[in-house]
Protein backbone atom coordinates (compact mmCIF):
# COMPACT_ATOMS: atom_id res chain seq x y z
CA UNK A 1 0.00 0.00 0.00
CA UNK A 2 1.40 3.34 -1.06
CA UNK A 3 1.09 6.38 1.14
CA UNK A 4 -1.10 8.18 -1.37
CA UNK A 5 -3.67 5.45 -0.79
CA UNK A 6 -3.16 5.85 2.96
CA UNK A 7 -3.81 9.57 2.59
CA UNK A 8 -7.26 8.84 1.13
CA UNK A 9 -8.34 6.35 3.71
CA UNK A 10 -10.17 7.05 6.89
CA UNK A 11 -11.84 4.68 9.30
CA UNK A 12 -15.20 3.66 7.88
CA UNK A 13 -16.91 2.42 11.01
CA UNK A 14 -20.34 3.94 11.45
CA UNK A 15 -20.39 6.84 13.90
CA UNK A 16 -16.64 7.45 13.89
CA UNK A 17 -15.94 11.14 13.27
CA UNK A 18 -12.17 11.37 13.77
CA UNK A 19 -11.07 8.39 11.74
CA UNK A 20 -8.19 10.11 9.94
CA UNK A 21 -5.33 9.58 9.62
CA UNK A 22 -5.05 5.89 10.32
CA UNK A 23 -1.95 5.08 12.31
CA UNK A 24 0.42 2.67 10.62
CA UNK A 25 1.72 -0.45 12.30
CA UNK A 26 4.59 -1.95 10.32
CA UNK A 27 5.58 -5.57 10.10
CA UNK A 28 7.14 -5.32 6.70
CA UNK A 29 7.67 -2.40 4.39
CA UNK A 30 9.42 -2.05 1.08
CA UNK A 31 10.52 0.47 -1.51
CA UNK A 32 9.74 0.20 -5.17
CA UNK A 33 11.05 2.64 -7.72
CA UNK A 34 8.49 4.32 -9.97
CA UNK A 35 8.85 6.90 -12.73
CA UNK A 36 9.11 10.49 -11.61
CA UNK A 37 6.11 12.46 -12.85
CA UNK A 38 6.34 16.17 -12.04
CA UNK A 39 2.92 17.13 -13.38
CA UNK A 40 1.26 14.48 -11.31
CA UNK A 41 3.09 15.53 -8.15
CA UNK A 42 2.18 19.15 -8.65
CA UNK A 43 -1.48 18.45 -9.24
CA UNK A 44 -1.88 15.98 -6.39
CA UNK A 45 0.01 18.08 -3.85
CA UNK A 46 -2.91 20.32 -2.87
CA UNK A 47 -5.09 17.29 -2.17
CA UNK A 48 -2.64 15.58 0.14
CA UNK A 49 -3.00 16.02 3.87
CA UNK A 50 0.60 16.92 4.55
CA UNK A 51 0.91 16.10 8.24
CA UNK A 52 -0.63 12.69 7.66
CA UNK A 53 1.89 11.99 4.92
CA UNK A 54 4.84 13.11 7.07
CA UNK A 55 3.74 10.87 9.92
CA UNK A 56 3.01 7.92 7.66
CA UNK A 57 6.41 8.23 5.98
CA UNK A 58 8.06 8.43 9.37
CA UNK A 59 6.35 5.26 10.52
CA UNK A 60 7.89 3.55 7.50
CA UNK A 61 11.30 4.88 8.50
CA UNK A 62 11.53 7.82 6.10
CA UNK A 63 12.28 11.08 7.89
CA UNK A 64 13.30 13.47 5.10
CA UNK A 65 10.00 15.27 4.51
CA UNK A 66 9.74 18.77 5.92
CA UNK A 67 7.35 19.04 8.85
CA UNK A 68 5.41 21.82 7.15
CA UNK A 69 5.16 23.26 3.68
CA UNK A 70 4.80 26.99 4.14
CA UNK A 71 5.31 28.29 0.65
CA UNK A 72 4.05 25.56 -1.62
CA UNK A 73 4.55 27.37 -4.93
CA UNK A 74 8.27 27.74 -4.22
CA UNK A 75 8.55 24.23 -2.83
CA UNK A 76 6.95 22.74 -5.92
CA UNK A 77 9.72 24.30 -8.01
CA UNK A 78 12.39 22.63 -5.91
CA UNK A 79 13.51 19.35 -7.42
CA UNK A 80 14.95 18.27 -4.09
CA UNK A 81 11.54 18.68 -2.44
CA UNK A 82 9.70 17.02 -5.33
CA UNK A 83 11.99 14.00 -5.17
CA UNK A 84 11.32 13.52 -1.50
CA UNK A 85 7.59 14.02 -1.98
CA UNK A 86 7.64 11.51 -4.86
CA UNK A 87 9.53 8.98 -2.79
CA UNK A 88 7.24 9.26 0.25
CA UNK A 89 4.00 9.32 -1.70
CA UNK A 90 4.64 6.64 -4.32
CA UNK A 91 7.71 4.55 -3.57
CA UNK A 92 7.24 3.57 0.05
CA UNK A 93 4.97 0.57 0.55
CA UNK A 94 3.41 -0.96 3.59
CA UNK A 95 3.45 -4.66 2.73
CA UNK A 96 2.42 -6.31 5.99
CA UNK A 97 1.02 -4.64 9.08
CA UNK A 98 -2.09 -2.76 10.04
CA UNK A 99 -3.91 0.55 9.97
CA UNK A 100 -5.23 1.68 13.32
CA UNK A 101 -8.24 3.95 13.76
CA UNK A 102 -7.21 6.94 15.89
CA UNK A 103 -10.63 7.13 17.53
CA UNK A 104 -11.54 3.53 18.27
CA UNK A 105 -8.23 1.69 18.03
CA UNK A 106 -9.79 -0.72 15.52
CA UNK A 107 -7.11 -2.58 13.56
CA UNK A 108 -7.46 -2.93 9.82
CA UNK A 109 -4.95 -5.55 8.65
CA UNK A 110 -2.73 -5.04 5.62
CA UNK A 111 -1.60 -8.23 3.88
CA UNK A 112 0.45 -8.42 0.73
CA UNK A 113 0.10 -4.67 0.45
CA UNK A 114 -3.71 -4.78 0.43
CA UNK A 115 -5.55 -3.04 3.28
CA UNK A 116 -8.64 -4.86 4.47
CA UNK A 117 -11.33 -2.30 5.27
CA UNK A 118 -14.16 -4.81 5.61
CA UNK A 119 -16.33 -4.11 8.62
CA UNK A 120 -17.90 -6.43 11.15
CA UNK A 121 -21.67 -6.56 11.27
CA UNK A 122 -21.90 -4.36 14.35
CA UNK A 123 -19.73 -1.66 12.78
CA UNK A 124 -21.88 -0.95 9.72
CA UNK B 1 -1.88 2.41 -28.07
CA UNK B 2 -4.35 1.09 -30.58
CA UNK B 3 -7.67 -0.43 -29.60
CA UNK B 4 -6.73 -3.85 -30.95
CA UNK B 5 -3.47 -3.82 -29.02
CA UNK B 6 -5.26 -2.95 -25.81
CA UNK B 7 -7.85 -5.66 -26.38
CA UNK B 8 -5.09 -8.17 -27.13
CA UNK B 9 -3.22 -7.39 -23.92
CA UNK B 10 -6.34 -7.57 -21.79
CA UNK B 11 -7.17 -10.93 -23.31
CA UNK B 12 -4.17 -12.40 -21.49
CA UNK B 13 -5.48 -11.57 -18.03
CA UNK B 14 -6.50 -14.28 -15.68
CA UNK B 15 -10.18 -14.27 -14.69
CA UNK B 16 -12.15 -15.53 -11.69
CA UNK B 17 -11.04 -19.05 -10.83
CA UNK B 18 -14.19 -19.84 -8.90
CA UNK B 19 -16.68 -17.02 -9.37
CA UNK B 20 -19.04 -16.21 -6.49
CA UNK B 21 -22.63 -15.90 -7.56
CA UNK B 22 -23.71 -13.80 -4.59
CA UNK B 23 -21.28 -11.12 -5.78
CA UNK B 24 -22.39 -11.50 -9.41
CA UNK B 25 -18.81 -12.05 -10.48
CA UNK B 26 -18.75 -12.04 -14.24
CA UNK B 27 -15.51 -11.27 -15.99
CA UNK B 28 -15.39 -8.05 -17.99
CA UNK B 29 -14.35 -9.23 -21.43
CA UNK B 30 -11.30 -7.76 -23.10
CA UNK B 31 -13.63 -6.63 -25.87
CA UNK B 32 -15.78 -4.54 -23.56
CA UNK B 33 -13.00 -3.31 -21.28
CA UNK B 34 -10.87 -2.09 -24.16
CA UNK B 35 -13.76 -0.23 -25.78
CA UNK B 36 -14.84 1.28 -22.50
CA UNK B 37 -11.43 2.70 -21.62
CA UNK B 38 -10.58 3.60 -25.18
CA UNK B 39 -13.63 5.78 -25.65
CA UNK B 40 -13.16 7.28 -22.18
CA UNK B 41 -9.73 8.43 -23.26
CA UNK B 42 -10.06 9.14 -26.97
CA UNK B 43 -13.41 10.93 -26.81
CA UNK B 44 -13.27 12.56 -23.39
CA UNK B 45 -9.64 12.52 -22.20
CA UNK B 46 -10.72 10.99 -18.89
CA UNK B 47 -7.93 8.42 -18.42
CA UNK B 48 -4.39 9.42 -19.39
CA UNK B 49 -2.75 11.42 -16.61
CA UNK B 50 -5.76 10.96 -14.33
CA UNK B 51 -6.40 9.36 -10.97
CA UNK B 52 -8.78 6.49 -11.61
CA UNK B 53 -10.82 4.27 -9.30
CA UNK B 54 -12.08 0.85 -10.37
CA UNK B 55 -15.02 -0.11 -8.16
CA UNK B 56 -15.74 -3.80 -7.84
CA UNK B 57 -12.50 -4.33 -9.70
CA UNK B 58 -12.61 -8.12 -9.56
CA UNK B 59 -9.55 -9.40 -11.39
CA UNK B 60 -8.53 -5.87 -12.28
CA UNK B 61 -9.36 -5.81 -15.99
CA UNK B 62 -10.67 -2.23 -16.14
CA UNK B 63 -8.01 -0.85 -13.81
CA UNK B 64 -5.27 -2.52 -15.82
CA UNK B 65 -6.79 -1.13 -19.02
CA UNK B 66 -6.60 2.34 -17.44
CA UNK B 67 -2.98 1.73 -16.50
CA UNK B 68 -2.14 0.65 -20.05
CA UNK B 69 -3.62 3.95 -21.23
CA UNK B 70 -1.29 5.78 -18.82
CA UNK B 71 -3.56 6.78 -15.99
CA UNK B 72 -1.34 8.28 -13.27
CA UNK B 73 -2.69 6.43 -10.26
CA UNK B 74 -5.26 3.67 -10.08
CA UNK B 75 -7.10 2.35 -7.06
CA UNK B 76 -8.99 -0.92 -7.36
CA UNK B 77 -11.58 -1.76 -4.74
CA UNK B 78 -13.26 -5.11 -4.25
CA UNK B 79 -14.97 -6.94 -1.42
CA UNK B 80 -13.46 -10.29 -2.38
CA UNK B 81 -9.92 -11.17 -1.27
CA UNK B 82 -9.48 -13.88 -3.88
CA UNK B 83 -10.27 -11.54 -6.76
CA UNK B 84 -7.87 -8.96 -5.39
CA UNK B 85 -5.14 -11.53 -5.31
CA UNK B 86 -5.77 -12.37 -8.96
CA UNK B 87 -5.84 -8.64 -9.77
CA UNK B 88 -2.51 -8.24 -8.07
CA UNK B 89 -0.97 -11.09 -10.09
CA UNK B 90 -2.49 -9.71 -13.30
CA UNK B 91 -1.03 -6.26 -12.64
CA UNK B 92 2.36 -7.75 -11.99
CA UNK B 93 2.22 -9.80 -15.19
CA UNK B 94 1.32 -6.70 -17.17
CA UNK B 95 3.98 -4.68 -15.36
CA UNK B 96 1.54 -1.98 -14.28
CA UNK B 97 0.82 -0.49 -10.86
CA UNK B 98 -2.58 -1.11 -9.29
CA UNK B 99 -3.34 0.05 -5.78
CA UNK B 100 -5.74 -2.46 -4.34
CA UNK B 101 -8.03 -2.30 -1.37
CA UNK B 102 -10.52 -4.71 0.15
CA UNK B 103 -13.72 -2.90 1.02
CA UNK B 104 -17.48 -3.12 0.64
CA UNK B 105 -18.36 -0.31 -1.72
CA UNK B 106 -21.27 0.62 0.54
CA UNK B 107 -18.87 1.34 3.40
CA UNK B 108 -16.29 3.28 1.48
CA UNK B 109 -14.92 6.25 3.38
CA UNK B 110 -12.40 8.28 1.41
CA UNK B 111 -11.31 11.79 2.14
CA UNK B 112 -10.12 14.45 -0.26
CA UNK B 113 -10.96 14.74 -3.92
CA UNK B 114 -8.33 12.45 -5.30
CA UNK B 115 -10.36 10.54 -7.84
CA UNK B 116 -10.88 12.08 -11.26
CA UNK B 117 -12.56 9.18 -13.01
CA UNK B 118 -14.39 6.11 -11.75
CA UNK B 119 -14.70 3.08 -13.99
CA UNK B 120 -16.71 0.02 -13.13
CA UNK B 121 -18.55 -3.05 -14.17
CA UNK B 122 -20.87 -3.24 -11.19
CA UNK B 123 -23.05 -6.20 -10.28
CA UNK B 124 -26.17 -5.92 -12.42
CA UNK B 125 -28.34 -6.08 -9.34
CA UNK B 126 -29.97 -9.29 -10.52
CA UNK B 127 -29.11 -11.28 -7.41
CA UNK B 128 -29.11 -8.43 -4.95
CA UNK B 129 -31.58 -5.76 -5.86
CA UNK B 130 -30.14 -2.28 -5.97
CA UNK B 131 -26.50 -3.36 -5.91
CA UNK B 132 -25.89 -1.65 -9.25
CA UNK B 133 -27.39 1.63 -8.08
CA UNK B 134 -25.40 1.57 -4.86
CA UNK B 135 -22.21 1.36 -6.88
CA UNK B 136 -23.31 4.23 -9.09
CA UNK B 137 -24.26 6.40 -6.17
CA UNK B 138 -20.89 5.94 -4.47
CA UNK B 139 -18.96 6.47 -7.70
CA UNK B 140 -20.79 9.74 -8.35
CA UNK B 141 -19.81 10.96 -4.91
CA UNK B 142 -16.16 10.00 -5.19
CA UNK B 143 -15.31 10.95 -8.77
CA UNK B 144 -14.88 14.62 -9.65
CA UNK B 145 -14.73 14.30 -13.42
CA UNK B 146 -16.58 11.32 -14.84
CA UNK B 147 -18.02 7.89 -14.09
CA UNK B 148 -18.06 5.08 -16.64
CA UNK B 149 -20.27 2.14 -15.91
CA UNK B 150 -22.04 -0.80 -17.50
CA UNK B 151 -25.72 -1.44 -16.87
CA UNK B 152 -28.24 -3.74 -18.46
CA UNK B 153 -29.96 -2.05 -21.37
CA UNK B 154 -33.29 -3.19 -19.94
CA UNK B 155 -32.71 -0.86 -16.97
CA UNK B 156 -31.86 2.23 -19.05
CA UNK B 157 -34.74 4.46 -17.95
CA UNK B 158 -34.29 3.52 -14.33
CA UNK B 159 -30.55 4.18 -14.41
CA UNK B 160 -31.07 7.58 -15.98
CA UNK B 161 -33.69 8.57 -13.44
CA UNK B 162 -31.60 7.40 -10.49
CA UNK B 163 -28.47 9.16 -11.72
CA UNK B 164 -30.08 12.50 -12.47
CA UNK B 165 -32.71 12.65 -9.77
CA UNK B 166 -31.30 10.73 -6.82
CA UNK B 167 -27.56 11.16 -7.31
CA UNK B 168 -27.70 14.70 -8.78
CA UNK B 169 -25.51 13.75 -11.72
CA UNK B 170 -24.92 16.68 -14.08
CA UNK B 171 -25.40 14.40 -17.05
CA UNK B 172 -26.08 10.76 -17.85
CA UNK B 173 -25.40 9.56 -21.35
CA UNK B 174 -25.38 6.15 -23.01
CA UNK B 175 -22.28 6.01 -25.20
CA UNK B 176 -23.04 2.70 -26.84
CA UNK B 177 -24.79 -0.59 -26.48
CA UNK B 178 -22.56 -3.63 -26.10
CA UNK B 179 -23.07 -7.36 -25.92
CA UNK B 180 -21.94 -8.81 -22.65
CA UNK B 181 -21.10 -12.47 -23.10
CA UNK B 182 -21.94 -14.35 -20.00
CA UNK B 183 -20.27 -17.72 -20.27
CA UNK B 184 -21.76 -20.67 -18.47
CA UNK B 185 -20.09 -19.99 -15.14
CA UNK B 186 -22.79 -21.05 -12.79
CA UNK B 187 -24.90 -24.18 -12.51
CA UNK B 188 -28.16 -22.28 -12.90
CA UNK B 189 -27.14 -21.14 -16.35
CA UNK B 190 -28.98 -23.39 -18.75
CA UNK B 191 -27.42 -22.19 -21.95
CA UNK B 192 -23.77 -22.49 -22.75
CA UNK B 193 -23.31 -18.82 -23.35
CA UNK B 194 -25.76 -15.94 -23.37
CA UNK B 195 -25.51 -12.43 -24.63
CA UNK B 196 -26.86 -9.67 -22.48
CA UNK B 197 -27.36 -6.22 -23.93
CA UNK B 198 -25.57 -3.68 -21.77
CA UNK B 199 -25.18 0.07 -22.04
CA UNK B 200 -21.90 1.82 -21.61
CA UNK B 201 -22.73 4.95 -19.64
CA UNK B 202 -20.83 8.13 -18.98
CA UNK B 203 -22.02 10.16 -16.03
CA UNK B 204 -20.77 13.55 -14.97
CA UNK B 205 -20.83 13.95 -11.19
CA UNK B 206 -22.59 16.90 -9.55
CA UNK B 207 -20.50 20.04 -9.41
CA UNK B 208 -19.22 21.50 -6.15
CA UNK B 209 -20.83 18.88 -4.04
CA UNK B 210 -19.45 18.27 -0.65
CA UNK B 211 -17.38 15.20 -1.28
CA UNK B 212 -17.96 13.20 1.79
CA UNK B 213 -18.81 9.65 0.95
CA UNK B 214 -21.81 8.54 2.85
CA UNK B 215 -23.59 5.31 2.36
CA UNK B 216 -26.66 5.65 0.26
CA UNK B 217 -28.48 2.40 -0.17
CA UNK B 218 -31.94 2.96 -1.58
CA UNK B 219 -32.77 -0.72 -1.50
CA UNK B 220 -31.32 -1.84 1.77
Amino acid sequence: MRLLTHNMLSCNIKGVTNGFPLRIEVEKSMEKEVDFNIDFLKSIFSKVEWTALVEAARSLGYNDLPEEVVDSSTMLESSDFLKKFHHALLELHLEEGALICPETGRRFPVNKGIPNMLLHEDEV
Amino acid sequence: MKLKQLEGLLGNLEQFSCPKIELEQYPTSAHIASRMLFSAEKTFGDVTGKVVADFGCGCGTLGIAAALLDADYIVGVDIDAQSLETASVNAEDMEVELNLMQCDINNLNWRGQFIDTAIMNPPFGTRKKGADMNFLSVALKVATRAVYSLHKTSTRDHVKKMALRDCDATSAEVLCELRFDVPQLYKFHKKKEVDIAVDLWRFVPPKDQERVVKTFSPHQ
Side-chain angles (χ1 to χ4, degrees):
Chain A
M1 183 195 69
R2 289 186 174 81
L3 297 190
L4 174 52
T5 305
H6 170 262
N7 214 275
M8 295 171 45
L9 277 181
S10 56
C11 176
N12 52 352
I13 296 174
K14 197 182 175 190
V16 167
T17 48
N18 295 307
F20 180 86
L22 298 161
R23 195 163 57 74
I24 294 181
E25 206 177 82
V26 191
E27 273 169 48
K28 188 182 155 204
S29 64
M30 61 184 254
E31 292 179 17
K32 216 161 111 187
E33 211 175 299
V34 291
D35 291 342
F36 189 64
N37 180 345
I38 284 195
D39 293 336
F40 175 67
L41 292 172
K42 286 184 175 175
S43 75
I44 207 85
F45 175 80
S46 62
K47 300 174 185 173
V48 169
E49 234 283 319
W50 188 256
T51 316
L53 179 66
V54 173
E55 274 173 39
R58 205 174 281 158
S59 61
L60 295 184
Y62 185 70
N63 300 313
D64 291 357
L65 289 181
E67 206 72 38
E68 270 183 88
V69 179
V70 188
D71 181 2
S72 58
S73 51
T74 312
M75 287 301 248
L76 291 173
E77 296 305 317
S78 150
S79 67
D80 178 58
F81 171 76
L82 286 171
K83 273 180 194 148
K84 288 172 180 168
F85 179 39
H86 167 78
H87 183 67
L89 194 72
L90 302 172
E91 296 189 325
L92 298 176
H93 287 254
L94 176 64
E95 271 299 293
E96 301 288 333
L99 304 172
I100 319 282
C101 168
E103 187 174 313
T104 61
R106 161 74 141 88
R107 243 175 134 264
F108 296 95
V110 177
N111 299 115
K112 294 182 186 166
I114 303 177
N116 177 349
M117 305 300 291
L118 291 184
L119 298 177
H120 305 308
E121 248 171 65
D122 58 350
E123 295 171 328
V124 180
Chain B
M1 184 173 307
K2 298 215 167 71
L3 176 64
K4 283 285 161 206
Q5 265 175 299
L6 182 63
E7 184 174 350
L9 287 169
L10 296 175
N12 297 326
L13 300 178
E14 200 158 312
Q15 295 300 337
F16 302 105
S17 50
C18 34
K20 300 181 178 65
I21 182 58
E22 69 278 13
L23 299 175
E24 297 190 46
Q25 291 180 333
Y26 296 102
T28 315
S29 68
H31 175 86
I32 286 189
S34 56
R35 274 150 190 82
M36 190 167 170
L37 272 292
F38 209 74
S39 55
E41 177 50 29
K42 299 297 165 198
T43 315
F44 299 98
D46 284 335
V47 183
T48 304
K50 299 292 179 288
V51 178
V52 173
D54 179 355
F55 289 137
C57 67
C59 302
T61 310
L62 294 175
I64 289 169
L68 292 170
L69 292 180
D70 296 319
D72 273 344
Y73 198 81
I74 301 134
V75 188
V77 185
D78 205 281
I79 197 170
D80 179 43
Q82 240 177 330
S83 304
L84 288 166
E85 216 160 293
T86 310
S88 175
V89 171
N90 278 335
E92 215 167 295
D93 286 350
M94 300 299 278
E95 297 178 336
V96 297
E97 304 287 345
L98 274 194
N99 300 280
L100 299 168
M101 184 185 305
Q102 191 177 5
C103 192
D104 182 335
I105 221 72
N106 295 303
N107 304 322
L108 200 71
N109 190 8
W110 288 356
R111 62 156 290 279
Q113 300 188 14
F114 286 104
I115 306 300
D116 298 307
T117 305
I119 49 175
M120 57 190 188
N121 172 18
F124 289 139
T126 312
R127 309 292 293 187
K128 196 177 163 204
K129 206 168 161 29
D132 49 345
M133 290 303 122
N134 291 345
F135 269 71
L136 179 58
S137 155
V138 172
L140 280 166
K141 289 198 177 92
V142 171
T144 57
R145 193 182 161 97
V147 174
Y148 291 85
S149 185
L150 298 166
H151 298 273
K152 276 188 183 174
T153 301
S154 59
T155 63
R156 189 179 289 181
D157 293 343
H158 178 62
V159 170
K160 185 149 203 162
K161 200 171 77 185
M162 290 293 290
L164 296 175
R165 192 195 61 189
D166 297 350
C167 305
D168 296 316
T170 307
S171 73
E173 188 190 347
V174 174
L175 301 182
C176 62
E177 201 180 305
L178 295 157
R179 310 301 300 180
F180 199 102
D181 314 320
V182 179
Q184 190 183 29
L185 292 176
Y186 301 113
K187 284 210 182 87
F188 68 85
H189 287 157
K190 294 192 182 73
K191 287 186 199 153
K192 200 155 191 155
E193 188 168 299
V194 282
D195 262 6
I196 300 179
V198 294
D199 293 336
L200 169 56
W201 286 85
R202 180 177 189 267
F203 304 94
V204 177
K207 288 201 174 69
D208 304 322
Q209 63 175 343
E210 198 190 335
R211 295 192 185 279
V212 178
V213 178
K214 271 184 249 137
T215 307
F216 160 71
S217 321
H219 297 282
Q220 274 184 358

